[in-house]
Amino acid sequence: MKSSFSDLILASVICAAVFIGYGFWYAAIASKSVEVTGLESQIEAKTEAVSRMASTRAALAEISGDETVVQSYFVPEIGVVAFIDDLQNRGRALEAAVSVLSVSTGGTSAEPALLFSLSVKGTFDAVMRTVGAIEYAPYAISVSGLSVDQDAKNSWHADLKLRVASVSSGTPAGALPTQTP
């Protein structure tokens, strides 16, 4: 009987060792499972963040063209000469002579503007068409003063005061001034 008693003790020790080993491995696997769950949630959060960044990048790329269009309505301080050339070319195309009498800065720091005083000379039709072409040019322009006089029988001149929305040289892209009507 001794051998069956020793077999029972040996089997009990082996069984206890197996249960202890099982408990140890169960605890180890459970802790790793918690770690994996945490990593999965981090991966999901980062994937969501990457997805949001990609959609934001796509939206920014989509509106960058719109920003360029909006920027074109403002005359930068460094683009005054090109703007004056554009005004003179509009007059020349309509057979009128556009002269710039003065240019100054105005407005506020939030809404900078360039103030122009122009003289347009030519026939009445050419003068009025040029004034209209300048007024409806693709810029944020407002006419603050206009006077039309006849110089001779078929010679007219218009004195025109303009306020043109501007952006300063130091304005970062995307920080456009707000324009009030």
Side-chain angles (χ1 to χ4, degrees):
M1 278 257 202
K2 205 155 183 130
S3 75
S4 66
F5 183 70
S6 62
D7 286 343
L8 180 64
I9 290 177
L10 182 65
S12 296
V13 169
I14 290 174
C15 188
V18 167
F19 279 126
I20 291 172
Y22 175 77
F24 173 76
W25 284 110
Y26 181 81
I29 290 174
S31 70
K32 293 297 180 185
S33 178
V34 168
E35 286 180 33
V36 167
T37 304
L39 289 174
E40 284 176 344
S41 65
Q42 287 178 0
I43 289 170
E44 187 176 314
K46 291 197 186 232
T47 303
E48 225 175 89
V50 167
S51 174
R52 279 194 309 269
M53 284 189 286
S55 65
T56 302
R57 239 184 240 127
L60 286 174
E62 186 177 311
I63 66 171
S64 69
D66 295 340
E67 180 185 9
T68 303
V69 170
V70 170
Q71 281 279 6
S72 72
Y73 286 98
F74 296 91
V75 177
E77 291 175 359
I78 60 172
V80 173
V81 174
F83 178 72
I84 291 170
D85 288 343
D86 181 50
L87 294 178
Q88 290 174 338
N89 289 336
R90 286 176 191 277
R92 224 176 279 117
L94 296 168
E95 299 176 359
V98 176
S99 303
V100 178
L101 303 176
S102 69
V103 178
S104 62
T105 57
T108 63
S109 61
E111 294 182 15
L114 297 171
L115 306 173
F116 289 87
S117 180
L118 306 175
S119 176
V120 181
K121 294 183 181 184
T123 64
F124 182 78
D125 184 50
V127 168
M128 295 313 291
R129 285 179 189 237
T130 302
V131 168
I134 290 171
E135 184 178 8
Y136 293 108
Y139 297 102
I141 294 177
S142 61
V143 176
S144 58
L146 172 66
S147 66
V148 180
D149 290 321
Q150 186 175 17
D151 293 333
K153 181 175 180 179
N154 203 13
S155 178
W156 292 77
H157 80 272
D159 292 323
L160 188 62
K161 293 190 186 294
L162 299 176
R163 176 184 166 94
V164 183
S166 177
V167 288
S168 64
S169 304
T171 303
L176 294 176
T178 55
Q179 194 65 33
T180 55

